[in-house]
Amino acid sequence: MRLFAVISGKKLALGAAVLAVICVTAHAVWGAKDILLASATKKDLPIYSVEREEKICSLTFDAAWGNEDTAQLIEILGEHDIRATFFVVGEWAEKYPESVKQLADAGHEVMNHSSTHPHMTELSTDAMIEEVRSCNEKIERITGTCPTLFRPPYGDYNDAVVSTLRSIGMYTIQWDVDSLDWKDPAPEEIVRRVVDNARSGSIILFHNAAKNTPAALPDVIDGLCEKGFSFAPVSELIYTGSYTIDHTGRQIPDGEAAGSGA
């Protein structure tokens, strides 16, 4: 009986050891699968906002269709000594070259919003590159400066759009505060949305031909100034050194290696 007990004990110990090995192996395998799955599902995000210690934000305007208010926006921004970023479509630049030059002469950034305003996610890689390069060429002919920032039309992007733009040295820029001015809300509603939602490093979206943007813009600026904000164009807000982008699209510098200005 004692011998049987010893043998049985050894079998139990051996079984326990084998089971432990199986559990450890299974854990490693499933852990590896989890890592691979996380890697596979991680999106290549554009920049929605920027981690900054100081209270600073960027005013941005998309220009794709009309041109009714561009001169007035330039005047308002000039009165407040603010430099903004205008993302313009190449066809718009060809149609209104005098406005593009006025923007550049006033110190504003004129950046890329595609050549024909397509859904970029529906294009091949070559077609994406052609859209962007064509727009860059049209802007550079007028301003003498080649854009380094790109905003996808309709805010429509995927991994392929972001990686393709990166491959040609362009940063893809979205926004984290939407004025919704294209829906023609009352000026005070535009002011409330922007001032209440802005935070340090925000990129704020307006349009150059929205009905109530000129009426709202002075109060937007005053409201942000009262909250302690200063303003910079997007190329001076973002980091171009070593950085990461979190799951919300917020760009975060990697220590002292990061530099600002595109």
PDB file of all heavy atoms in Angstrom, residues 117-149:
ATOM      1  N   HIS A 117     -11.094  67.471 -54.420  1.00  0.00           N
ATOM      2  CA  HIS A 117     -11.986  67.179 -53.288  1.00  0.00           C
ATOM      3  C   HIS A 117     -12.700  65.824 -53.417  1.00  0.00           C
ATOM      4  O   HIS A 117     -13.912  65.728 -53.232  1.00  0.00           O
ATOM      5  CB  HIS A 117     -13.032  68.298 -53.137  1.00  0.00           C
ATOM      6  CG  HIS A 117     -13.533  68.462 -51.731  1.00  0.00           C
ATOM      7  ND1 HIS A 117     -14.672  67.826 -51.255  1.00  0.00           N
ATOM      8  CD2 HIS A 117     -13.061  69.186 -50.680  1.00  0.00           C
ATOM      9  CE1 HIS A 117     -14.875  68.168 -49.994  1.00  0.00           C
ATOM     10  NE2 HIS A 117     -13.913  68.989 -49.613  1.00  0.00           N
ATOM     11  N   PRO A 118     -11.949  64.744 -53.653  1.00  0.00           N
ATOM     12  CA  PRO A 118     -12.564  63.418 -53.712  1.00  0.00           C
ATOM     13  C   PRO A 118     -12.573  62.754 -52.340  1.00  0.00           C
ATOM     14  O   PRO A 118     -11.989  63.265 -51.372  1.00  0.00           O
ATOM     15  CB  PRO A 118     -11.616  62.659 -54.638  1.00  0.00           C
ATOM     16  CG  PRO A 118     -10.274  63.212 -54.251  1.00  0.00           C
ATOM     17  CD  PRO A 118     -10.504  64.674 -53.935  1.00  0.00           C
ATOM     18  N   HIS A 119     -13.232  61.619 -52.242  1.00  0.00           N
ATOM     19  CA  HIS A 119     -13.064  60.751 -51.078  1.00  0.00           C
ATOM     20  C   HIS A 119     -11.745  60.006 -51.277  1.00  0.00           C
ATOM     21  O   HIS A 119     -11.648  59.107 -52.113  1.00  0.00           O
ATOM     22  CB  HIS A 119     -14.231  59.770 -50.962  1.00  0.00           C
ATOM     23  CG  HIS A 119     -15.481  60.383 -50.428  1.00  0.00           C
ATOM     24  ND1 HIS A 119     -15.708  60.558 -49.078  1.00  0.00           N
ATOM     25  CD2 HIS A 119     -16.569  60.878 -51.063  1.00  0.00           C
ATOM     26  CE1 HIS A 119     -16.884  61.128 -48.891  1.00  0.00           C
ATOM     27  NE2 HIS A 119     -17.436  61.337 -50.078  1.00  0.00           N
ATOM     28  N   MET A 120     -10.745  60.348 -50.506  1.00  0.00           N
ATOM     29  CA  MET A 120      -9.411  59.779 -50.707  1.00  0.00           C
ATOM     30  C   MET A 120      -9.389  58.269 -50.481  1.00  0.00           C
ATOM     31  O   MET A 120      -8.590  57.554 -51.082  1.00  0.00           O
ATOM     32  CB  MET A 120      -8.409  60.460 -49.774  1.00  0.00           C
ATOM     33  CG  MET A 120      -8.218  61.941 -50.018  1.00  0.00           C
ATOM     34  SD  MET A 120      -7.375  62.338 -51.565  1.00  0.00           S
ATOM     35  CE  MET A 120      -5.681  61.896 -51.154  1.00  0.00           C
ATOM     36  N   THR A 121     -10.272  57.783 -49.615  1.00  0.00           N
ATOM     37  CA  THR A 121     -10.291  56.349 -49.305  1.00  0.00           C
ATOM     38  C   THR A 121     -10.736  55.505 -50.495  1.00  0.00           C
ATOM     39  O   THR A 121     -10.571  54.285 -50.488  1.00  0.00           O
ATOM     40  CB  THR A 121     -11.231  56.067 -48.118  1.00  0.00           C
ATOM     41  OG1 THR A 121     -12.540  56.557 -48.420  1.00  0.00           O
ATOM     42  CG2 THR A 121     -10.721  56.734 -46.853  1.00  0.00           C
ATOM     43  N   GLU A 122     -11.300  56.135 -51.516  1.00  0.00           N
ATOM     44  CA  GLU A 122     -11.763  55.401 -52.693  1.00  0.00           C
ATOM     45  C   GLU A 122     -10.728  55.385 -53.800  1.00  0.00           C
ATOM     46  O   GLU A 122     -10.973  54.827 -54.873  1.00  0.00           O
ATOM     47  CB  GLU A 122     -13.073  56.023 -53.199  1.00  0.00           C
ATOM     48  CG  GLU A 122     -14.208  55.957 -52.184  1.00  0.00           C
ATOM     49  CD  GLU A 122     -15.467  56.673 -52.653  1.00  0.00           C
ATOM     50  OE1 GLU A 122     -15.452  57.227 -53.787  1.00  0.00           O
ATOM     51  OE2 GLU A 122     -16.462  56.675 -51.905  1.00  0.00           O
ATOM     52  N   LEU A 123      -9.559  56.000 -53.549  1.00  0.00           N
ATOM     53  CA  LEU A 123      -8.531  56.124 -54.577  1.00  0.00           C
ATOM     54  C   LEU A 123      -7.412  55.112 -54.376  1.00  0.00           C
ATOM     55  O   LEU A 123      -7.147  54.661 -53.261  1.00  0.00           O
ATOM     56  CB  LEU A 123      -7.930  57.534 -54.553  1.00  0.00           C
ATOM     57  CG  LEU A 123      -8.897  58.713 -54.728  1.00  0.00           C
ATOM     58  CD1 LEU A 123      -8.104  60.011 -54.710  1.00  0.00           C
ATOM     59  CD2 LEU A 123      -9.707  58.587 -56.008  1.00  0.00           C
ATOM     60  N   SER A 124      -6.731  54.792 -55.463  1.00  0.00           N
ATOM     61  CA  SER A 124      -5.518  53.981 -55.375  1.00  0.00           C
ATOM     62  C   SER A 124      -4.404  54.840 -54.787  1.00  0.00           C
ATOM     63  O   SER A 124      -4.512  56.074 -54.719  1.00  0.00           O
ATOM     64  CB  SER A 124      -5.114  53.490 -56.759  1.00  0.00           C
ATOM     65  OG  SER A 124      -4.718  54.592 -57.571  1.00  0.00           O
ATOM     66  N   THR A 125      -3.321  54.206 -54.400  1.00  0.00           N
ATOM     67  CA  THR A 125      -2.181  54.952 -53.852  1.00  0.00           C
ATOM     68  C   THR A 125      -1.667  55.971 -54.853  1.00  0.00           C
ATOM     69  O   THR A 125      -1.403  57.126 -54.505  1.00  0.00           O
ATOM     70  CB  THR A 125      -1.056  53.980 -53.454  1.00  0.00           C
ATOM     71  OG1 THR A 125      -1.527  53.105 -52.432  1.00  0.00           O
ATOM     72  CG2 THR A 125       0.165  54.738 -52.946  1.00  0.00           C
ATOM     73  N   ASP A 126      -1.524  55.564 -56.116  1.00  0.00           N
ATOM     74  CA  ASP A 126      -1.029  56.487 -57.145  1.00  0.00           C
ATOM     75  C   ASP A 126      -1.974  57.675 -57.323  1.00  0.00           C
ATOM     76  O   ASP A 126      -1.518  58.817 -57.497  1.00  0.00           O
ATOM     77  CB  ASP A 126      -0.854  55.757 -58.475  1.00  0.00           C
ATOM     78  CG  ASP A 126       0.333  54.801 -58.467  1.00  0.00           C
ATOM     79  OD1 ASP A 126       1.184  54.924 -57.562  1.00  0.00           O
ATOM     80  OD2 ASP A 126       0.405  53.936 -59.364  1.00  0.00           O
ATOM     81  N   ALA A 127      -3.274  57.415 -57.276  1.00  0.00           N
ATOM     82  CA  ALA A 127      -4.249  58.495 -57.444  1.00  0.00           C
ATOM     83  C   ALA A 127      -4.220  59.449 -56.249  1.00  0.00           C
ATOM     84  O   ALA A 127      -4.362  60.667 -56.412  1.00  0.00           O
ATOM     85  CB  ALA A 127      -5.648  57.917 -57.636  1.00  0.00           C
ATOM     86  N   MET A 128      -4.036  58.904 -55.046  1.00  0.00           N
ATOM     87  CA  MET A 128      -3.891  59.761 -53.865  1.00  0.00           C
ATOM     88  C   MET A 128      -2.714  60.714 -54.040  1.00  0.00           C
ATOM     89  O   MET A 128      -2.820  61.930 -53.804  1.00  0.00           O
ATOM     90  CB  MET A 128      -3.654  58.917 -52.608  1.00  0.00           C
ATOM     91  CG  MET A 128      -4.825  58.145 -52.089  1.00  0.00           C
ATOM     92  SD  MET A 128      -4.297  57.303 -50.542  1.00  0.00           S
ATOM     93  CE  MET A 128      -5.427  55.917 -50.537  1.00  0.00           C
ATOM     94  N   ILE A 129      -1.586  60.147 -54.427  1.00  0.00           N
ATOM     95  CA  ILE A 129      -0.372  60.952 -54.574  1.00  0.00           C
ATOM     96  C   ILE A 129      -0.563  62.020 -55.638  1.00  0.00           C
ATOM     97  O   ILE A 129      -0.144  63.168 -55.466  1.00  0.00           O
ATOM     98  CB  ILE A 129       0.833  60.041 -54.902  1.00  0.00           C
ATOM     99  CG1 ILE A 129       1.167  59.165 -53.685  1.00  0.00           C
ATOM    100  CG2 ILE A 129       2.046  60.868 -55.321  1.00  0.00           C
ATOM    101  CD1 ILE A 129       2.224  58.117 -53.951  1.00  0.00           C
ATOM    102  N   GLU A 130      -1.227  61.691 -56.722  1.00  0.00           N
ATOM    103  CA  GLU A 130      -1.462  62.660 -57.789  1.00  0.00           C
ATOM    104  C   GLU A 130      -2.362  63.798 -57.299  1.00  0.00           C
ATOM    105  O   GLU A 130      -2.118  64.964 -57.615  1.00  0.00           O
ATOM    106  CB  GLU A 130      -2.095  61.968 -58.995  1.00  0.00           C
ATOM    107  CG  GLU A 130      -2.440  62.911 -60.149  1.00  0.00           C
ATOM    108  CD  GLU A 130      -1.247  63.711 -60.657  1.00  0.00           C
ATOM    109  OE1 GLU A 130      -0.101  63.214 -60.573  1.00  0.00           O
ATOM    110  OE2 GLU A 130      -1.463  64.851 -61.127  1.00  0.00           O
ATOM    111  N   GLU A 131      -3.407  63.461 -56.537  1.00  0.00           N
ATOM    112  CA  GLU A 131      -4.286  64.487 -55.975  1.00  0.00           C
ATOM    113  C   GLU A 131      -3.496  65.484 -55.136  1.00  0.00           C
ATOM    114  O   GLU A 131      -3.682  66.699 -55.237  1.00  0.00           O
ATOM    115  CB  GLU A 131      -5.366  63.836 -55.109  1.00  0.00           C
ATOM    116  CG  GLU A 131      -6.583  63.360 -55.839  1.00  0.00           C
ATOM    117  CD  GLU A 131      -7.504  64.491 -56.286  1.00  0.00           C
ATOM    118  OE1 GLU A 131      -7.527  65.556 -55.631  1.00  0.00           O
ATOM    119  OE2 GLU A 131      -8.191  64.308 -57.297  1.00  0.00           O
ATOM    120  N   VAL A 132      -2.628  64.971 -54.311  1.00  0.00           N
ATOM    121  CA  VAL A 132      -1.889  65.820 -53.378  1.00  0.00           C
ATOM    122  C   VAL A 132      -0.806  66.606 -54.103  1.00  0.00           C
ATOM    123  O   VAL A 132      -0.664  67.825 -53.896  1.00  0.00           O
ATOM    124  CB  VAL A 132      -1.294  64.965 -52.245  1.00  0.00           C
ATOM    125  CG1 VAL A 132      -0.409  65.806 -51.337  1.00  0.00           C
ATOM    126  CG2 VAL A 132      -2.414  64.318 -51.429  1.00  0.00           C
ATOM    127  N   ARG A 133      -0.045  65.954 -54.937  1.00  0.00           N
ATOM    128  CA  ARG A 133       1.037  66.648 -55.640  1.00  0.00           C
ATOM    129  C   ARG A 133       0.497  67.712 -56.594  1.00  0.00           C
ATOM    130  O   ARG A 133       1.087  68.791 -56.731  1.00  0.00           O
ATOM    131  CB  ARG A 133       1.902  65.629 -56.390  1.00  0.00           C
ATOM    132  CG  ARG A 133       2.811  64.842 -55.445  1.00  0.00           C
ATOM    133  CD  ARG A 133       3.772  63.942 -56.177  1.00  0.00           C
ATOM    134  NE  ARG A 133       4.740  63.361 -55.237  1.00  0.00           N
ATOM    135  CZ  ARG A 133       5.493  62.302 -55.497  1.00  0.00           C
ATOM    136  NH1 ARG A 133       5.389  61.691 -56.665  1.00  0.00           N
ATOM    137  NH2 ARG A 133       6.343  61.850 -54.593  1.00  0.00           N
ATOM    138  N   SER A 134      -0.608  67.425 -57.242  1.00  0.00           N
ATOM    139  CA  SER A 134      -1.204  68.409 -58.141  1.00  0.00           C
ATOM    140  C   SER A 134      -1.618  69.661 -57.377  1.00  0.00           C
ATOM    141  O   SER A 134      -1.366  70.795 -57.824  1.00  0.00           O
ATOM    142  CB  SER A 134      -2.409  67.790 -58.863  1.00  0.00           C
ATOM    143  OG  SER A 134      -3.055  68.748 -59.667  1.00  0.00           O
ATOM    144  N   CYS A 135      -2.241  69.451 -56.218  1.00  0.00           N
ATOM    145  CA  CYS A 135      -2.640  70.599 -55.396  1.00  0.00           C
ATOM    146  C   CYS A 135      -1.414  71.355 -54.890  1.00  0.00           C
ATOM    147  O   CYS A 135      -1.384  72.594 -54.903  1.00  0.00           O
ATOM    148  CB  CYS A 135      -3.499  70.121 -54.229  1.00  0.00           C
ATOM    149  SG  CYS A 135      -4.111  71.451 -53.170  1.00  0.00           S
ATOM    150  N   ASN A 136      -0.407  70.635 -54.440  1.00  0.00           N
ATOM    151  CA  ASN A 136       0.824  71.284 -53.982  1.00  0.00           C
ATOM    152  C   ASN A 136       1.418  72.193 -55.057  1.00  0.00           C
ATOM    153  O   ASN A 136       1.850  73.317 -54.787  1.00  0.00           O
ATOM    154  CB  ASN A 136       1.862  70.230 -53.575  1.00  0.00           C
ATOM    155  CG  ASN A 136       1.669  69.729 -52.155  1.00  0.00           C
ATOM    156  OD1 ASN A 136       0.837  70.234 -51.418  1.00  0.00           O
ATOM    157  ND2 ASN A 136       2.451  68.724 -51.775  1.00  0.00           N
ATOM    158  N   GLU A 137       1.448  71.678 -56.281  1.00  0.00           N
ATOM    159  CA  GLU A 137       2.023  72.450 -57.385  1.00  0.00           C
ATOM    160  C   GLU A 137       1.229  73.729 -57.650  1.00  0.00           C
ATOM    161  O   GLU A 137       1.798  74.795 -57.903  1.00  0.00           O
ATOM    162  CB  GLU A 137       2.086  71.581 -58.643  1.00  0.00           C
ATOM    163  CG  GLU A 137       3.116  70.460 -58.555  1.00  0.00           C
ATOM    164  CD  GLU A 137       2.983  69.448 -59.684  1.00  0.00           C
ATOM    165  OE1 GLU A 137       2.086  69.638 -60.544  1.00  0.00           O
ATOM    166  OE2 GLU A 137       3.756  68.473 -59.698  1.00  0.00           O
ATOM    167  N   LYS A 138      -0.095  73.626 -57.580  1.00  0.00           N
ATOM    168  CA  LYS A 138      -0.945  74.798 -57.824  1.00  0.00           C
ATOM    169  C   LYS A 138      -0.737  75.853 -56.747  1.00  0.00           C
ATOM    170  O   LYS A 138      -0.676  77.060 -57.045  1.00  0.00           O
ATOM    171  CB  LYS A 138      -2.415  74.368 -57.874  1.00  0.00           C
ATOM    172  CG  LYS A 138      -2.743  73.499 -59.083  1.00  0.00           C
ATOM    173  CD  LYS A 138      -4.111  72.850 -58.968  1.00  0.00           C
ATOM    174  CE  LYS A 138      -4.357  71.912 -60.143  1.00  0.00           C
ATOM    175  NZ  LYS A 138      -5.629  71.151 -60.039  1.00  0.00           N
ATOM    176  N   ILE A 139      -0.622  75.417 -55.508  1.00  0.00           N
ATOM    177  CA  ILE A 139      -0.400  76.366 -54.414  1.00  0.00           C
ATOM    178  C   ILE A 139       0.993  76.975 -54.495  1.00  0.00           C
ATOM    179  O   ILE A 139       1.167  78.193 -54.328  1.00  0.00           O
ATOM    180  CB  ILE A 139      -0.610  75.668 -53.055  1.00  0.00           C
ATOM    181  CG1 ILE A 139      -2.088  75.296 -52.873  1.00  0.00           C
ATOM    182  CG2 ILE A 139      -0.129  76.557 -51.901  1.00  0.00           C
ATOM    183  CD1 ILE A 139      -2.360  74.414 -51.668  1.00  0.00           C
ATOM    184  N   GLU A 140       1.988  76.148 -54.771  1.00  0.00           N
ATOM    185  CA  GLU A 140       3.364  76.648 -54.816  1.00  0.00           C
ATOM    186  C   GLU A 140       3.569  77.649 -55.946  1.00  0.00           C
ATOM    187  O   GLU A 140       4.343  78.611 -55.796  1.00  0.00           O
ATOM    188  CB  GLU A 140       4.349  75.483 -54.955  1.00  0.00           C
ATOM    189  CG  GLU A 140       5.802  75.911 -54.810  1.00  0.00           C
ATOM    190  CD  GLU A 140       6.766  74.743 -54.744  1.00  0.00           C
ATOM    191  OE1 GLU A 140       6.352  73.600 -55.076  1.00  0.00           O
ATOM    192  OE2 GLU A 140       7.932  74.963 -54.372  1.00  0.00           O
ATOM    193  N   ARG A 141       2.874  77.464 -57.061  1.00  0.00           N
ATOM    194  CA  ARG A 141       3.003  78.413 -58.169  1.00  0.00           C
ATOM    195  C   ARG A 141       2.534  79.808 -57.753  1.00  0.00           C
ATOM    196  O   ARG A 141       3.058  80.813 -58.229  1.00  0.00           O
ATOM    197  CB  ARG A 141       2.188  77.936 -59.376  1.00  0.00           C
ATOM    198  CG  ARG A 141       2.893  76.907 -60.234  1.00  0.00           C
ATOM    199  CD  ARG A 141       2.260  76.793 -61.605  1.00  0.00           C
ATOM    200  NE  ARG A 141       0.893  76.301 -61.546  1.00  0.00           N
ATOM    201  CZ  ARG A 141       0.555  75.020 -61.639  1.00  0.00           C
ATOM    202  NH1 ARG A 141       1.504  74.100 -61.787  1.00  0.00           N
ATOM    203  NH2 ARG A 141      -0.705  74.641 -61.585  1.00  0.00           N
ATOM    204  N   ILE A 142       1.574  79.867 -56.864  1.00  0.00           N
ATOM    205  CA  ILE A 142       1.011  81.154 -56.440  1.00  0.00           C
ATOM    206  C   ILE A 142       1.763  81.739 -55.253  1.00  0.00           C
ATOM    207  O   ILE A 142       2.059  82.943 -55.213  1.00  0.00           O
ATOM    208  CB  ILE A 142      -0.482  80.991 -56.074  1.00  0.00           C
ATOM    209  CG1 ILE A 142      -1.267  80.493 -57.289  1.00  0.00           C
ATOM    210  CG2 ILE A 142      -1.062  82.318 -55.572  1.00  0.00           C
ATOM    211  CD1 ILE A 142      -2.680  80.046 -56.963  1.00  0.00           C
ATOM    212  N   THR A 143       2.089  80.906 -54.276  1.00  0.00           N
ATOM    213  CA  THR A 143       2.665  81.400 -53.019  1.00  0.00           C
ATOM    214  C   THR A 143       4.185  81.290 -52.950  1.00  0.00           C
ATOM    215  O   THR A 143       4.819  81.953 -52.126  1.00  0.00           O
ATOM    216  CB  THR A 143       2.085  80.628 -51.816  1.00  0.00           C
ATOM    217  OG1 THR A 143       2.538  79.266 -51.873  1.00  0.00           O
ATOM    218  CG2 THR A 143       0.562  80.659 -51.843  1.00  0.00           C
ATOM    219  N   GLY A 144       4.753  80.405 -53.769  1.00  0.00           N
ATOM    220  CA  GLY A 144       6.187  80.155 -53.700  1.00  0.00           C
ATOM    221  C   GLY A 144       6.575  79.179 -52.607  1.00  0.00           C
ATOM    222  O   GLY A 144       7.759  78.899 -52.408  1.00  0.00           O
ATOM    223  N   THR A 145       5.581  78.635 -51.890  1.00  0.00           N
ATOM    224  CA  THR A 145       5.836  77.698 -50.795  1.00  0.00           C
ATOM    225  C   THR A 145       5.058  76.416 -51.024  1.00  0.00           C
ATOM    226  O   THR A 145       3.850  76.452 -51.294  1.00  0.00           O
ATOM    227  CB  THR A 145       5.416  78.301 -49.442  1.00  0.00           C
ATOM    228  OG1 THR A 145       6.140  79.518 -49.234  1.00  0.00           O
ATOM    229  CG2 THR A 145       5.701  77.341 -48.297  1.00  0.00           C
ATOM    230  N   CYS A 146       5.745  75.275 -50.895  1.00  0.00           N
ATOM    231  CA  CYS A 146       5.089  73.981 -51.081  1.00  0.00           C
ATOM    232  C   CYS A 146       4.472  73.524 -49.757  1.00  0.00           C
ATOM    233  O   CYS A 146       5.145  73.508 -48.727  1.00  0.00           O
ATOM    234  CB  CYS A 146       6.088  72.940 -51.562  1.00  0.00           C
ATOM    235  SG  CYS A 146       5.333  71.343 -51.962  1.00  0.00           S
ATOM    236  N   PRO A 147       3.198  73.161 -49.753  1.00  0.00           N
ATOM    237  CA  PRO A 147       2.549  72.709 -48.521  1.00  0.00           C
ATOM    238  C   PRO A 147       3.193  71.457 -47.939  1.00  0.00           C
ATOM    239  O   PRO A 147       3.727  70.616 -48.662  1.00  0.00           O
ATOM    240  CB  PRO A 147       1.107  72.416 -48.975  1.00  0.00           C
ATOM    241  CG  PRO A 147       0.899  73.281 -50.171  1.00  0.00           C
ATOM    242  CD  PRO A 147       2.225  73.290 -50.865  1.00  0.00           C
ATOM    243  N   THR A 148       3.108  71.336 -46.613  1.00  0.00           N
ATOM    244  CA  THR A 148       3.601  70.149 -45.907  1.00  0.00           C
ATOM    245  C   THR A 148       2.486  69.456 -45.128  1.00  0.00           C
ATOM    246  O   THR A 148       2.709  68.403 -44.543  1.00  0.00           O
ATOM    247  CB  THR A 148       4.713  70.534 -44.917  1.00  0.00           C
ATOM    248  OG1 THR A 148       4.201  71.529 -44.018  1.00  0.00           O
ATOM    249  CG2 THR A 148       5.935  71.087 -45.646  1.00  0.00           C
ATOM    250  N   LEU A 149       1.304  70.070 -45.098  1.00  0.00           N
ATOM    251  CA  LEU A 149       0.172  69.533 -44.351  1.00  0.00           C
ATOM    252  C   LEU A 149      -0.972  69.204 -45.307  1.00  0.00           C
ATOM    253  O   LEU A 149      -1.189  69.915 -46.292  1.00  0.00           O
ATOM    254  CB  LEU A 149      -0.322  70.535 -43.308  1.00  0.00           C
ATOM    255  CG  LEU A 149       0.706  71.142 -42.364  1.00  0.00           C
ATOM    256  CD1 LEU A 149       0.041  72.141 -41.423  1.00  0.00           C
ATOM    257  CD2 LEU A 149       1.431  70.063 -41.569  1.00  0.00           C
TER     258      LEU A 149
END
